[in-house]
């Protein structure tokens, strides 16, 4: 693309490709970034719509020509002195701009570039987006997200000029004034550039927001993408609940893999499209049922956007916050904005806080957790911005959505709860920057939470944020990872929840010693796998309807199970890649399986499920073989298609050597062959027969993991769930210790690794010392006990070394 020859207009207006990140003082962070993308990243395949920017010099010439500066200062001083409210001062300043006129040189320059832009697009009057770009915005310490206005679907020279004037005025919206006051910027030190960019027909397609870092946990190797139908303002403003995708960056460079580690379908109840006729340029319409049930992006599109995000991050050398759009006519994707991410990038990777609820309360509502803190206070329910002045400082703000007009009260809130919005909405971004925990997208908070009621907002329980009745007790722990000692023993973590894996990514764990499938199946999938293989056998109308609802969007209901399980496992594996992640095959008992949707049609009642149809015995049985095939398909996908070859598969509750052979054969029949593509198979060592015949089991498996709970139960004959026998249940009993010692010795004699993944070492330091003394290879702990147990392990190693 060749820019026209320079002219006097260049002092006031610049093409994007003639600007770069060094021009922030001239065209603001937003437009400098667009220029940088246009100039430097299109060669990497990143598509950026054409456009131009007015300069800060043009803005200051506008102020001077209309003698606005002294009058602006007067209104600001009146606001600071309390003689005028924020609303009065802001309205008066904006009126100054709207009544002013462009100097001829500037107005003509803007119109001339618009005509040239239309010619470039091959149109008479091309539709453009007119966006504000403050010269102090998008700096590393301030996002300025949404502080100024954007005008979409603007066409015609006069309309473009009017939109530019409105952008100038928006530098003094109430929220922008308040934000600069909070950040300590002088209002007249900040100038405004206006970006005029060709509109992508995302009104017929889709759009959204993208971060090159996980915005909640700060995990740096993930790309987070939000997507919705229509124009992107719905996602940015948080007026709808969008689709959510996550991609693992380190595997993007390998073309064999599609490292999508999360797909979450949002409600997407409405979309913004162009308006036909009248003064409004855009309007909101309801989405169709098909649009609501369909994911906005294909995996190929998600991966392409993630590659762009990685390219942009690499170019800037820091995590980035980006906007993208998909043209509904051509199907092409475009990058329409990039700015530095301003919250997680500044947090320490070696220290963090953990919050823990100490009381239970009645759940009022739930949504997406923003941040990881807990806060309490009285609910202040405000449904409309006109009532914003009724907010009570220190209370929990409960509203339909927290758009930028709410920033002045957001910073004074203990917490924020909204009906609408997703984790990349403007409200979520500002909440993170302010350090205020928020629960967004609850759908019903303004109805479910009583005004004035004491409530507790918890973002410390995974990706789901919860709002509880009452002021609940909670604790806060400061964790300094640099103070943790090194150990010779591999110390790993037990993980069940994919969201929890991201929460603990900072821990210097040697991998995941136990990743439980049960959490994903029970909490995310919710349907018995056999009910997906044979939905016709589920005759209960309510359960059948729920299965159809959960699997909508999948042509084959079994694909729902495989997809959700594979992405859940991938998300657990991602924070620890390339360290080993040991995934245990499903180990529900029959009574637990029967509680899944449709489970009652496939499970037989048992007198003692703890010793019944569980673990390995299921996998080759005709009663569950087809369900087990889905587990295998998910594991094969996450290893070979997503790319996590660091996943090790572990077989639980394998009673006999013959049973081990049958399970290995069943897995091979589904393409999971030990040794193929580097696949390792482990076995839970939790039954006395596993220890007695350890030599024979070791010929079939690459490693053992001691399950101390079941091993203790079966060695001592104590039901681990019995309250009456709780005093007898002790992993340190001499009989149990003897079995553990034998298992370790036999594993090492056979040349295979052995670890322990039960809770014993976390609960009993003397057990940890015993295990280390016997030479166990790894100890896997629950994440919340990792920090306190690691020094115990290190001290035990030192004592044993001194005694040697």
């Amino acid at each position: 693309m060749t820019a026209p020859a320079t002219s006097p207009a260049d002092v006031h207006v610049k093409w994007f490709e003639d600007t770069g990140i060094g021009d922030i003082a001239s065209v603001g962070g937003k437009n400098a970034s667009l220029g940088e993308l246009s100039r430097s990243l299109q060669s990497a395949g990143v598509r950026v719509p054409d456009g131009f920017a007015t300069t800060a010099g043009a803005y200051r010439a506008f102020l001077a020509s209309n003698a606005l500066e002294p009058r602006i200062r007067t209104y600001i001083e009146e606001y600071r002195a309390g003689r005028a409210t924020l609303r009065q001062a802001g309205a008066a300043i904006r009126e100054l701009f709207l009544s002013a006129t462009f100097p001829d040189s500037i107005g003509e320059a803007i119109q001339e570039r618009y005509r040239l832009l239309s010619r470039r697009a091959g149109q008479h009057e091309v539709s453009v987006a007119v966006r504000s770009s403050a010269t102090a915005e998008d700096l590393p310490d301030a996002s300025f997200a949404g502080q100024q206005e954007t005008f979409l679907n603007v066409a015609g020279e006069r309309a473009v000029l009017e939109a530019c004037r409105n952008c100038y005025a928006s530098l003094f919206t109430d929220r922008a004034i308040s934000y600069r006051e909070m950040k300590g910027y002088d209002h007249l030190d900040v100038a405004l550039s206006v970006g005029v960019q060709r509109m992508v027909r995302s009104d017929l397609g889709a759009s959204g927001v993208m971060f090159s870092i996980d915005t909640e946990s700060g995990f740096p190797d993930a790309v987070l993408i939000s997507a919705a139908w229509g124009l992107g303002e719905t996602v940015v403003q948080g007026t709808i609940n969008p689709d959510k995708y996550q991609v693992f960056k380190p595997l993007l460079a390998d073309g064999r893999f599609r490292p999508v580690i999360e797909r979450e379908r949002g409600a997407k109840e409405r979309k913004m499209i162009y308006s036909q006729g009248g003064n409004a340029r855009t309007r909101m319409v309801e989405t169709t049922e098909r649009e609501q049930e369909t994911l906005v992006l294909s995996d190929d599109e998600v991966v392409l956007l993630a590659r762009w995000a990685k390219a942009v991050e690499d170019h800037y050398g820091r995590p980035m916050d980006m906007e993208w759009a998909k043209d509904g006519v051509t199907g092409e994707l475009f990058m329409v904005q990039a700015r530095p991410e301003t919250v997680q990038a500044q947090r320490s990777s070696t220290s963090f806080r953990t919050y823990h609820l100490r009381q239970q309360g009645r759940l009022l509502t739930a949504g997406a957790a923003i941040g990881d803190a807990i806060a309490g206070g009285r609910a202040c329910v405000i449904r409309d911005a006109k009532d914003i002045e009724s907010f009570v400082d220190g209370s929990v703000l409960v509203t339909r959505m927290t758009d930028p007009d709410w920033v002045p009260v957001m910073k004074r809130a203990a917490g924020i709860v909204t009906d609408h919005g997703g984790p990349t909405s403007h409200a979520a971004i500002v909440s993170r920057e302010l350090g205020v925990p928020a629960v967004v997208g609850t759908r019903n908070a303004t109805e479910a939470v009583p005004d004035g009621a004491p409530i507790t907002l918890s973002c410390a329980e995974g990706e789901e944020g919860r709002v509880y009745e009452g002021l609940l007790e909670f604790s806060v722990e400061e964790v300094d990872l640099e103070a943790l000692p090194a150990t010779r023993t591999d110390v790993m973590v037990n993980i069940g929840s994919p969201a929890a894996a991201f929460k603990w990514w900072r821990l210097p764990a040697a991998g995941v010693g136990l990743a439980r499938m049960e959490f994903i199946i029970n909490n995310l999938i919710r349907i018995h796998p056999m009910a997906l293989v044979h939905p016709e056998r589920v005759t209960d109308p309510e359960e059948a309807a729920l299965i159809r609802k959960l699997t909508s969007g999948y042509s084959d209901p079994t694909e729902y199970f495989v997809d959700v399980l594979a992405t859940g496992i991938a998300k657990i594996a991602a924070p620890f890649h390339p360290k080993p992640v040991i995934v245990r095959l499903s180990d529900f008992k029959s009574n637990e399986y029967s509680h899944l949707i449709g489970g009652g049609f496939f499970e037989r009642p048992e007198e003692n499920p703890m010793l019944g149809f569980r673990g390995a015995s299921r996998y080759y049985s005709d009663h569950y073989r087809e369900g087990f095939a889905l587990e295998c398909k998910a594991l094969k996908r996450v290893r070979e298609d997503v790319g996590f070859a660091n996943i090790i598969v572990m077989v639980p509750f394998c009673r006999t050597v013959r049973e081990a052979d049958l399970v290995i054969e069943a897995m091979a029949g589904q393409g999971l062959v030990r040794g193929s593509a580097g696949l390792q198979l482990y076995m839970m060592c939790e039954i006395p027969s596993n220890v007695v015949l350890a030599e024979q089991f070791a010929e079939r498996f690459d490693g053992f993991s001691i399950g101390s709970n079941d091993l203790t139960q079966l060695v001592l004959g104590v039901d681990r769930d019995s309250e009456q026998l709780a005093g007898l249940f002790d992993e340190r009993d001499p009989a149990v210790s003897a079995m553990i010692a034998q298992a370790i010795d036999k594993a090492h004699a056979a040349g295979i690794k052995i670890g322990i993944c039960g809770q014993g070492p976390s609960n009993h330091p003397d057990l940890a010392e015993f295990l280390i003394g016997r030479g166990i290879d790894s100890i896997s702990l629950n994440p919340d006990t990792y920090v306190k147990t690691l020094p115990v392990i290190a001290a035990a190693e030192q004592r044993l070394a001194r005694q040697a």
Side-chain angles (χ1 to χ4, degrees):
M1 186 183 296
T2 303
T6 57
S7 71
D10 288 325
V11 123
H12 299 307
V13 185
K14 293 184 176 181
W15 293 105
F16 285 155
E17 68 263 28
D18 292 334
T19 64
I21 203 63
D23 296 308
I24 288 177
S26 174
V27 296
K30 190 176 294 182
N31 289 332
S33 181
L34 281 169
E36 189 73 16
L37 291 174
S38 299
R39 186 168 67 184
S40 303
L41 284 159
Q42 297 214 57
S43 61
V46 180
R47 287 190 288 267
V48 184
D50 197 9
F52 62 88
T54 67
T55 64
Y59 170 80
R60 298 197 185 284
F62 180 89
L63 290 185
S65 174
N66 292 278
L68 297 185
E69 184 170 331
R71 286 182 283 175
I72 291 171
R73 287 201 183 278
T74 297
Y75 285 123
I76 291 294
E77 288 306 317
E78 288 186 356
Y79 162 59
R80 286 175 176 167
R83 292 191 296 273
T85 66
L86 175 62
R87 183 172 293 182
Q88 289 168 337
I93 295 171
R94 291 192 296 276
E95 183 56 37
L96 293 177
F97 281 91
L98 298 177
S99 302
T101 58
F102 278 97
D104 289 345
S105 60
I106 298 174
E108 288 169 5
I110 294 170
Q111 291 175 316
E112 175 199 348
R113 288 299 167 88
Y114 173 72
R115 287 193 293 271
L116 289 170
L117 183 63
S118 295
R119 257 182 249 157
R120 287 184 175 191
Q123 297 180 36
H124 173 57
E125 291 185 333
V126 66
S127 290
V128 293
V130 182
R131 304 179 187 273
S132 306
S133 179
T135 58
E137 75 176 333
D138 299 335
L139 297 178
D141 66 334
S143 74
F144 272 68
Q147 298 303 316
Q148 284 78 52
E149 299 291 348
T150 291
F151 301 92
L152 304 177
N153 193 28
V154 180
E157 293 177 26
R158 290 173 62 183
V160 168
L161 210 58
E162 186 62 26
C164 289
R165 189 189 347 260
N166 282 316
C167 282
Y168 280 177
S170 76
L171 190 57
F172 288 90
T173 58
D174 297 355
R175 61 183 181 258
I177 295 171
S178 175
Y179 193 86
R180 287 194 298 273
E181 289 282 297
M182 178 181 70
K183 288 289 183 180
Y185 290 99
D186 185 291
H187 296 279
L188 287 162
D189 282 349
V190 179
L192 195 103
S193 165
V194 180
V196 179
Q197 186 176 32
R198 181 169 67 85
M199 284 288 291
V200 177
R201 290 307 303 268
S202 56
D203 62 308
L204 302 175
S207 50
V209 175
M210 178 164 59
F211 290 85
S212 65
I213 189 172
D214 181 59
T215 54
E216 296 313 314
S217 68
F219 177 53
D221 284 338
V223 174
L224 175 65
I225 302 171
S226 291
W229 303 113
L231 302 171
E233 299 307 297
T234 57
V235 178
V236 174
Q237 293 173 1
T239 57
I240 57 100
N241 298 323
D243 289 348
K244 174 185 172 184
Y245 310 84
Q246 280 195 320
V247 183
F248 185 57
K249 284 190 293 192
L251 294 175
L252 280 169
D254 193 324
R256 295 173 300 166
F257 304 134
R258 292 196 298 178
V260 180
I261 61 174
E262 184 174 15
R263 290 179 214 85
E264 183 180 301
R265 190 175 63 198
K268 309 183 296 289
E269 307 97 329
R270 296 176 301 283
K271 64 179 178 179
M272 182 182 285
I273 62 172
Y274 289 168
S275 182
Q276 302 295 325
N279 293 325
R281 297 188 179 96
T282 61
R283 62 191 176 98
M284 296 290 290
V285 297
E286 301 295 316
T287 50
T288 65
E289 185 176 343
R290 180 177 176 80
E291 285 175 319
Q292 292 173 21
E293 293 181 350
T294 304
L295 286 168
V296 169
L297 296 171
S298 68
D299 276 4
D300 287 342
E301 290 170 328
V302 169
V303 169
L304 176 61
L305 285 173
R307 288 197 172 115
W308 287 2
K310 177 91 167 51
V312 172
E313 180 182 69
D314 289 346
H315 179 75
Y316 281 90
R318 59 172 297 124
M320 298 295 288
D321 166 2
M322 295 149 280
E323 295 175 26
W324 60 271
K326 180 180 178 180
D327 193 301
V329 176
T330 66
E332 292 178 301
L333 291 167
F334 291 89
M335 184 86 76
V336 296
Q337 191 50 254
R339 60 181 75 86
E341 193 275 339
T342 59
V343 179
Q344 292 293 351
Q346 296 185 54
R347 290 189 175 176
S348 169
S349 62
T350 60
S351 64
F352 62 100
R353 287 182 175 180
T354 60
Y355 291 75
H356 304 278
L357 271 179
R358 298 301 184 194
Q359 282 183 293
Q360 296 294 315
R362 185 171 74 89
L363 183 66
L364 298 176
T365 189
I370 305 302
D372 54 11
I374 299 173
R378 292 196 174 273
C380 189
V381 181
I382 304 177
R383 293 180 176 84
D384 196 291
K386 66 181 176 60
D387 301 317
I388 200 167
E389 292 180 0
S390 66
F391 178 75
V392 179
D393 287 5
S395 61
V396 177
L397 173 64
V398 181
T399 186
R400 291 192 174 97
M401 54 176 278
T402 53
D403 67 23
D405 286 322
W406 296 79
V407 171
V409 300
M410 289 171 71
K411 64 184 180 182
R412 308 199 310 267
I416 297 164
V417 186
T418 71
D419 290 344
H420 306 295
T424 57
S425 65
H426 169 272
I429 294 170
V430 173
S431 295
R432 290 188 198 98
E433 183 172 316
L434 295 174
V436 177
V439 177
V440 302
T442 64
R443 301 195 186 189
N444 68 343
T446 53
E447 301 300 326
V449 179
D451 186 36
I455 60 173
T456 298
L457 177 157
S458 173
C459 295
E461 300 169 77
E463 291 181 333
E464 183 180 70
R466 296 170 181 171
V467 181
Y468 296 101
E469 184 178 65
L471 297 176
L472 306 180
E473 290 183 12
F474 63 91
S475 62
V476 184
E477 181 183 3
E478 294 281 351
V479 179
D480 181 3
L481 298 177
E482 291 184 329
L484 294 178
T487 62
R488 292 188 299 276
T489 308
D490 284 340
V491 184
M492 308 173 83
V493 288
N494 301 326
I495 298 284
S497 161
F502 269 44
K503 178 180 178 181
W504 300 104
W505 70 269
R506 290 179 176 86
L507 292 178
V512 177
L514 175 62
R516 305 177 186 90
M517 273 191 189
E518 291 83 22
F519 182 95
I520 301 171
I521 297 172
N522 191 53
N523 293 276
L524 304 182
I525 297 172
R526 298 172 55 198
I527 305 171
H528 194 291
M530 292 299 291
L532 294 166
V533 176
H534 293 289
E536 74 282 356
R537 297 185 192 174
V538 180
T539 56
D540 180 89
E542 289 186 10
E543 289 193 292
L546 190 51
I547 290 172
R548 287 193 297 271
K549 180 181 179 181
L550 289 171
T551 60
S552 63
Y554 292 89
S555 57
D556 181 348
T558 63
E559 176 59 21
Y560 165 75
F561 183 96
V562 173
D563 181 43
V564 177
L565 183 56
T567 52
I569 293 171
K571 192 166 181 180
I572 290 174
F576 303 96
H577 182 273
K579 298 170 184 174
V581 174
I582 303 171
V583 178
R584 187 179 68 188
L585 295 164
S586 65
D587 192 26
F588 281 128
K589 288 75 177 175
S590 56
N591 58 324
E592 295 167 332
Y593 264 120
S594 66
H595 291 148
L596 295 171
I597 299 168
F601 295 92
F602 299 93
E603 297 297 329
R604 299 171 181 174
E606 292 185 291
E607 288 295 328
N608 189 351
M610 189 72 76
L611 297 179
F613 189 40
R614 61 175 287 202
S617 60
R618 283 185 167 265
Y619 310 148
Y620 56 88
S621 165
D622 289 339
H623 293 290
Y624 188 73
R625 187 192 305 272
E626 292 167 298
F628 179 62
L630 303 184
E631 295 183 30
C632 293
K633 189 174 180 181
L635 285 162
K636 184 176 172 62
R637 178 176 298 179
V638 75
R639 280 181 48 84
E640 299 178 15
D641 297 342
V642 184
F644 289 103
N646 58 319
I647 286 175
I648 296 168
V649 181
M650 184 157 66
V651 179
F653 223 77
C654 186
R655 294 172 169 94
T656 68
V657 173
R658 171 61 178 156
E659 192 164 63
D661 290 336
L662 290 170
V663 170
I664 291 169
E665 181 183 343
M667 292 178 68
Q670 298 300 325
L672 289 176
V673 179
R674 180 187 176 198
S676 176
L679 175 63
Q680 293 186 60
L681 297 184
Y682 278 28
M683 184 190 77
M684 290 290 293
C685 187
E686 55 191 343
I687 303 171
S689 62
N690 299 151
V691 179
V692 173
L693 300 179
E695 298 89 347
Q696 295 180 50
F697 282 111
E699 293 173 1
R700 292 156 172 81
F701 294 99
D702 301 288
F704 293 158
S705 183
I706 298 168
S708 58
N709 287 340
D710 270 326
L711 187 60
T712 302
Q713 171 178 246
L714 296 172
V715 169
L716 299 180
V718 175
D719 183 346
R720 66 192 234 195
D721 290 338
S722 171
E723 292 183 13
Q724 290 177 295
L725 300 178
L728 294 173
F729 189 92
D730 189 347
E731 297 101 319
R732 298 165 298 173
D733 186 276
V736 181
S737 298
M739 294 295 277
I740 291 174
Q742 282 187 55
I744 294 172
D745 292 344
K746 289 182 176 181
H748 287 161
I752 67 171
K753 289 186 175 183
I754 183 166
I756 186 168
C757 58
Q759 293 181 352
S762 302
N763 299 333
H764 308 296
D766 54 335
L767 176 59
E769 185 159 355
F770 165 75
L771 293 166
I772 294 163
R774 298 301 307 192
I776 199 158
D777 296 302
S778 64
I779 295 175
S780 194
L781 307 169
N782 291 338
D784 58 351
T785 65
Y786 184 97
V787 172
K788 69 177 183 181
T789 308
L790 196 66
V792 173
I793 294 172
E797 289 179 341
Q798 291 168 7
R799 279 194 299 273
L800 291 167
R802 287 194 298 267
Q803 294 168 12

